[in-house]
Amino acid sequence: MSALEHKHFVELRAKLQDAVVKCSERCLYQSAKWIAELSNSLPADQFPPMPDIDLDMPMHDAEQPDPAIPIVISSNRDMGEAILEAREASKYLLAKSYFDCREYDRCAAVFLPFNDSREPLTATTPVKSSKGKGKESGPSPLATPTPPRNILPQLSQKALFLALYAKYLSGEKRKDEETEMILGPADGGTTVNKELVDLGRILEAWFSDRVAKGLEDKNQGWLEYLYGVVHIKGKSKDAGKNWLMKSVNRYPYNWSAWVELSEAIDSHEQLVEIVKNVPENIMSTIFFVYASQELLQTYEELERYLTGVEGIFPDSLFLKTQRAMLLYHSKAHEQAEATFSEILNTDPHRIDYLHHYSDILYVRGARPKLAFLAQVMTATDKFRPETCYVVGNYYSLKSEHEKAVMYFRRALTLDRNFLPAWTLMGHEYMEIKNTHAAIESYRRVVDINRKDYKAWYGLGQTYEILGMNLYALFYFQRAASLRPRDPKMWQAIGSCYNKIDKPRQSIKALKQALKAGMRTSDEVGSSFASGNSGGEVSVGWNADILFEIALMYVKIGEVEQAAEYMELTMESEEDDDRGPGTGVTNTSSEARMWMARYELGRGNYTRALALANEMSKDEYEPEETKALIRELRTRMESKKP
């Protein structure tokens, strides 16, 4: 059953189609594509079919209207803005044609009287700071003591946005041109967009002028979006979030603003607070699902939100992708793979998010499927960073690590902000024992996105290998704070505490790993995975973790506690109410050997012999087991009267 009435579907489609035009006019092509796909995923049965048209019918007698404004240009209800847009229509079309040809400086020069970044854009010129050894602290580079004077010509908001956005992209283009080779000797990752400061001053002056004239309520939200992006790029995240929230409050259908806002959020608490301050509509609901997924959240309320939105857009591949990602984060890899496979079959030319599909295939060891995915994506667009990433994943699965590095570097050459490629390149450098390059790769990720737990975990592993356990502990703790329900994170912390001789802290961390493993199995079974995850979810108690806890108790001399956990390690072999058993493993056999010697020391020869006989059947350490059995029988014989 549809979640909306028919008239609401009609209104929603009209708003989405209008948003596609508005985003396209401002050259926000990714946002326009996303909105268009969403509009096209509305259920067809909610809209009556169009009547058939006889194309052979003579039309020369029909009166042909002569529209004054082309249909590709959206209307504007603000009379002042509409007059300005009509007056500058020719210039706007010229500027947009330059933008479409990637001639960003020419596009900006159509409307702005200054297009040379070497000339001052405002009455105030920034003072260059003197060079010094210490790290300077002070206000944001975008901040100015007094608001600069607005020297812009009278332009519509649409024209001003197009010109300033072109100027921003021109700076991004020059930044990429000035950047050195990936991880080259001069590649410090510090190249910046030199247009940011001037753009910040122009926008600050424009907004100050609007407030002074009492026109703030007539702002359309697009320039607020650009100002938010400029602030975030200038390392003023809080100010950027505020401007982005202003943007989505004024115009909620700019998906690019929602994406930028999501990337600026560091925690679920921040997300909840932001949702309270944005309009409650279909866009904010989709944003909540998307941002929660990016924060690795997996809980039943999120499932309810996603199901509700899917009822409105049943054919949305984006929403199906979000479901697949939520299953992936929940460790339900089999179902996530099936969902991604369905998406690929529906639209084999859609490359978005397929690099995550390759991660799932890599984890499952599905080499033929990964090879097929790489072939499909290469045939579609071999010069997309996602394609290079998938090919790199394929070579990594084949253990051809040098080739994998080559393709990950190629992905980063195409887009240096494609963070998953930095992470996997770090993994590959670890495989070929290049720890310096691995650390630098991981650092590039956390410098941009501090929410990427894989990069923090990779840094921890690298420093652990180098024997720098305190550094490793810090990075593992950062990873665990982002992924508290992943037992692997807590197990790594426990291992580090053991290496720095803090066994009690190690025990606490390892017990947390046990709890996380049990919680993961319960949540996946009840929420996203519907109870069947293909045996890939961590269920029951992990025998390795139980054994490590037992060894920590041995280390601090609490032998009785150690014996309890050794017993639990052996019990993990059998099926019980905690989940399916693991069967006999080396870990459980080691626990059985320890328990046999423990019972021997206590004089409980009967139990010790029973345990030793079990080890003999399992053929675990046959010589040591035989020696133990002989010793036990000798002692039992000596005790007979």
Side-chain angles (χ1 to χ4, degrees):
M1 175 180 273
S2 299
L4 298 178
E5 296 180 3
H6 169 70
K7 65 176 183 178
H8 294 143
F9 273 107
V10 174
E11 292 173 2
L12 179 58
R13 184 173 70 169
K15 289 179 179 178
L16 292 175
Q17 290 175 344
D18 180 65
V20 173
V21 176
K22 281 182 164 61
C23 291
S24 298
E25 287 176 346
R26 291 157 181 83
C27 299
L28 296 171
Y29 295 125
Q30 290 297 322
S31 186
K33 180 186 78 170
W34 186 89
I35 291 286
E37 289 179 347
L38 196 67
S39 173
N40 199 51
S41 66
L42 288 166
D45 58 3
Q46 290 294 326
F47 307 99
M50 296 295 290
D52 294 333
I53 300 175
D54 186 359
L55 297 178
D56 296 329
M57 183 178 68
M59 300 292 291
H60 60 273
D61 293 332
E63 185 177 345
Q64 298 294 323
D66 184 17
I69 301 176
I71 60 171
V72 294
I73 298 179
S74 63
S75 60
N76 198 319
R77 295 183 179 180
D78 186 331
M79 185 58 66
E81 287 290 323
I83 292 172
L84 288 173
E85 289 179 12
R87 189 175 68 186
E88 63 200 14
S90 296
K91 280 190 173 183
Y92 163 77
L93 293 173
L94 175 65
K96 189 174 185 306
S97 66
Y98 287 150
F99 192 106
D100 292 341
C101 293
R102 299 178 183 272
E103 298 182 35
Y104 302 125
D105 288 323
R106 292 188 75 188
C107 174
V110 171
F111 290 113
L112 300 180
F114 29 72
N115 67 326
D116 190 344
S117 61
R118 294 169 296 182
E119 297 176 3
L121 294 179
T122 63
T124 58
T125 304
V127 180
K128 294 184 179 178
S129 60
S130 58
K131 294 182 179 178
K133 293 181 181 178
K135 191 173 182 180
E136 296 183 8
S137 61
S140 162
L142 299 180
T144 52
T146 57
R149 180 171 56 89
N150 181 22
I151 60 173
L152 291 168
Q154 191 177 27
L155 296 171
S156 67
Q157 294 183 49
K158 181 167 70 174
L160 181 59
F161 176 88
L162 183 63
L164 294 180
Y165 186 50
K167 196 169 186 63
Y168 166 76
L169 290 183
S170 175
E172 289 291 298
K173 182 181 176 184
R174 274 192 285 271
K175 182 185 78 171
D176 291 340
E177 291 168 351
E178 294 168 5
T179 304
E180 296 289 335
M181 180 183 69
I182 301 291
L183 293 184
D187 179 24
T190 56
T191 311
V192 297
N193 184 340
K194 296 178 181 178
E195 301 288 350
L196 291 179
V197 174
D198 286 338
L199 284 170
R201 287 175 174 164
I202 293 172
L203 287 165
E204 183 184 3
W206 188 84
F207 283 114
S208 298
D209 186 57
R210 298 284 289 185
V211 172
K213 294 178 179 177
L215 299 174
E216 188 178 12
D217 291 339
K218 294 188 176 182
N219 293 351
Q220 298 172 353
W222 303 95
L223 290 165
E224 285 86 347
Y225 156 69
L226 184 58
Y227 201 20
V229 171
V230 169
H231 271 292
I232 289 173
K233 291 286 185 179
K235 308 299 183 184
S236 302
K237 186 181 286 188
D238 290 338
K241 284 190 288 189
N242 289 334
W243 283 101
L244 289 170
M245 282 192 285
K246 289 180 182 180
S247 174
V248 298
N249 272 285
R250 294 197 179 278
Y251 189 73
Y253 293 97
N254 177 12
W255 179 243
S256 296
W258 292 107
V259 172
E260 292 288 345
L261 188 56
S262 171
E263 292 177 356
I265 295 173
D266 295 323
S267 66
H268 182 66
E269 291 72 24
Q270 285 186 21
L271 173 60
V272 172
E273 190 62 31
I274 284 174
V275 168
K276 293 177 183 177
N277 294 292
V278 297
E280 187 176 347
N281 53 34
I282 190 65
M283 294 298 292
S284 62
T285 304
I286 296 176
F287 161 74
F288 180 74
V289 172
Y290 171 78
S292 297
Q293 180 271 120
E294 290 292 307
L295 290 168
L296 310 178
Q297 301 294 312
T298 53
Y299 49 89
E300 292 187 11
E301 184 184 3
L302 187 57
E303 158 77 4
R304 191 175 69 252
Y305 275 111
L306 179 57
T307 302
V309 178
E310 285 177 327
I312 300 172
F313 303 99
D315 299 325
S316 172
L317 295 182
F318 172 81
L319 294 177
K320 289 181 180 179
T321 301
Q322 297 308 299
R323 180 168 290 280
M325 291 301 299
L326 290 168
L327 288 166
Y328 174 46
H329 296 322
S330 300
K331 306 276 187 178
H333 293 153
E334 184 176 349
Q335 289 180 279
E337 180 191 339
T339 306
F340 270 119
S341 179
E342 178 187 348
I343 293 169
L344 184 63
N345 290 331
T346 303
D347 187 353
H349 302 297
R350 184 179 187 268
I351 290 179
D352 301 337
Y353 284 92
L354 288 183
H355 58 288
H356 292 298
Y357 183 26
S358 75
D359 289 337
I360 295 169
L361 297 176
Y362 182 94
V363 170
R364 289 175 60 80
R367 186 164 146 187
K369 290 183 178 180
L370 185 53
F372 174 74
L373 178 64
Q375 290 174 350
V376 169
M377 294 179 69
T378 301
T380 302
D381 189 347
K382 67 188 298 183
F383 294 112
R384 280 277 293 270
E386 293 93 337
T387 302
C388 298
Y389 178 97
V390 171
V391 176
N393 240 346
Y394 170 71
Y395 281 116
S396 177
L397 188 59
K398 291 180 65 180
S399 298
E400 297 183 26
H401 303 297
E402 296 286 353
K403 280 189 176 181
V405 168
M406 181 184 72
Y407 275 96
F408 291 137
R409 289 173 70 96
R410 188 174 296 177
L412 292 167
T413 301
L414 294 167
D415 182 2
R416 279 180 176 261
N417 291 325
F418 189 60
L419 300 184
W422 283 110
T423 303
L424 288 201
M425 191 164 72
H427 294 346
E428 296 307 307
Y429 277 127
M430 286 293 296
E431 293 289 342
I432 59 180
K433 306 296 188 269
N434 188 344
T435 53
H436 176 75
I439 288 172
E440 185 61 25
S441 298
Y442 293 135
R443 286 197 184 281
R444 293 296 178 86
V445 180
V446 298
D447 284 346
I448 298 173
N449 180 15
R450 305 187 76 79
K451 298 176 291 186
D452 194 317
Y453 78 96
K454 292 181 181 178
W456 290 112
Y457 185 78
L459 280 168
Q461 283 185 310
T462 309
Y463 280 107
E464 188 177 30
I465 289 171
L466 293 173
M468 304 171 73
N469 294 308
L470 286 174
Y471 283 93
L473 178 61
F474 170 78
Y475 292 121
F476 284 140
Q477 286 173 334
R478 290 299 300 265
S481 68
L482 294 166
R483 187 83 166 165
R485 301 178 185 184
D486 192 334
K488 185 170 68 172
M489 306 298 152
W490 295 105
Q491 193 172 3
I493 292 173
S495 175
C496 276
Y497 273 127
N498 181 31
K499 289 177 181 177
I500 61 176
D501 201 25
K502 290 187 175 181
R504 291 198 180 276
Q505 286 87 338
S506 177
I507 290 171
K508 288 180 181 179
L510 292 170
K511 287 183 177 179
Q512 188 65 35
L514 280 180
K515 292 177 184 177
M518 291 296 292
R519 188 164 57 236
T520 298
S521 64
D522 292 341
E523 288 173 355
V524 173
S526 64
S527 179
F528 291 103
S530 301
N532 178 20
S533 61
E536 297 174 51
V537 182
S538 176
V539 294
W541 281 358
N542 188 302
D544 293 328
I545 299 176
L546 289 166
F547 186 67
E548 287 184 51
I549 294 174
L551 293 180
M552 289 301 101
Y553 277 119
V554 172
K555 192 171 185 178
I556 61 177
E558 297 183 11
V559 183
E560 292 183 0
Q561 287 284 345
E564 289 183 18
Y565 278 91
M566 290 295 184
E567 291 280 7
L568 289 172
T569 305
M570 292 188 295
E571 289 175 11
S572 68
E573 296 176 345
E574 306 296 333
D575 297 348
D576 58 15
D577 56 355
R578 293 188 295 266
T582 61
V584 178
T585 63
N586 285 336
T587 301
S588 62
S589 296
E590 285 184 52
R592 189 171 281 105
M593 175 65 78
W594 188 93
M595 283 299 301
R597 294 194 177 282
Y598 172 72
E599 297 293 355
L600 172 63
R602 295 174 62 196
N604 190 351
Y605 301 138
T606 304
R607 174 83 196 285
L609 183 60
L611 292 169
N613 286 329
E614 288 178 18
M615 286 188 289
S616 179
K617 292 178 183 178
D618 298 335
E619 298 183 353
Y620 174 76
E621 298 291 343
E623 296 300 325
E624 188 177 354
T625 302
K626 288 177 183 177
L628 178 61
I629 291 173
R630 283 196 298 268
E631 182 181 355
L632 284 165
R633 285 176 176 169
T634 301
R635 294 199 182 191
M636 292 173 75
E637 289 291 335
S638 65
K639 289 188 71 173
K640 288 182 180 180

